[in-house]
């Protein structure tokens, strides 16, 4: 069993920055793709950014140029640096990991951390 533990959410003013962190609880277990999703009230969960173990990244159009995802493979830790935050970035942010085991794709989720952008 792998748990993902997030930290770094909070309240920030528009234009400000936050850095989210997520670490897997199990060592010696490589996760193929790690990323961040978010869910705002009344909306579906959406992909924010993801990064492969090889460093390839994918971003939602709404965050390109403002958010940066990075990871440390040895510790299964992923970060999301969020700059120039907007009120529409307000949501619960969830850490996500996925891994193929014997041709079957497994998904792992964190408990979520609240990000609120407001003056």
């Amino acid at each position: 069993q792998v748990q993902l533990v997030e930290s770094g959410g909070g309240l920030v003013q528009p234009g400000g920055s936050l850095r989210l962190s997520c670490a897997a609880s199990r060592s010696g277990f490589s996760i193929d793709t790690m990323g961040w999703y978010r869910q705002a009230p009344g909306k579906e969960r959406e992909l924010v950014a993801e990064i492969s173990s090889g460093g390839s990244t994918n971003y939602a159009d709404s965050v390109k140029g403002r958010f940066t995802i990075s990871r440390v493979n040895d510790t299964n830790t992923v970060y999301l640096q969020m700059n120039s935050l907007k009120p529409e970035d307000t949501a619960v942010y969830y850490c996500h990991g996925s891994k193929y085991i014997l041709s079957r794709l497994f998904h792992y989720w964190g408990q979520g951390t609240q990000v609120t952008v407001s003056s």
Side-chain angles (χ1 to χ4, degrees):
Q1 187 73 11
V2 177
Q3 291 183 324
L4 301 180
V5 181
E6 303 123 333
S7 60
L11 173 65
V12 64
Q13 292 186 343
S17 298
L18 278 177
R19 189 190 194 211
L20 304 183
S21 301
C22 170
S25 62
R26 181 175 166 183
S27 62
F29 181 80
S30 63
I31 298 177
D32 297 332
T33 299
M34 299 189 76
W36 295 91
Y37 285 70
R38 67 186 180 187
Q39 188 166 20
K43 294 188 177 181
E44 294 186 353
R45 190 173 297 189
E46 62 175 0
L47 173 68
V48 176
E50 60 184 358
I51 183 169
S52 70
S53 58
S56 297
T57 58
N58 179 39
Y59 294 91
D61 287 343
S62 59
V63 306
K64 284 181 180 177
R66 301 188 297 122
F67 291 10
T68 302
I69 191 170
S70 60
R71 68 183 286 176
V72 178
N73 288 336
D74 289 349
T75 57
N76 279 330
T77 304
V78 64
Y79 304 96
L80 185 68
Q81 178 65 43
M82 305 185 293
N83 298 329
S84 302
L85 282 160
K86 304 175 181 180
E88 50 263 44
D89 295 317
T90 296
V92 178
Y93 284 69
Y94 296 90
C95 181
H96 172 260
S98 62
K99 179 178 177 66
Y100 279 99
I101 302 175
L102 298 177
S103 300
R104 183 179 172 186
L105 186 61
F106 287 79
H107 295 274
Y108 310 99
W109 291 95
Q111 78 284 359
T113 185
Q114 178 70 46
V115 171
T116 302
V117 184
S118 175
S119 55

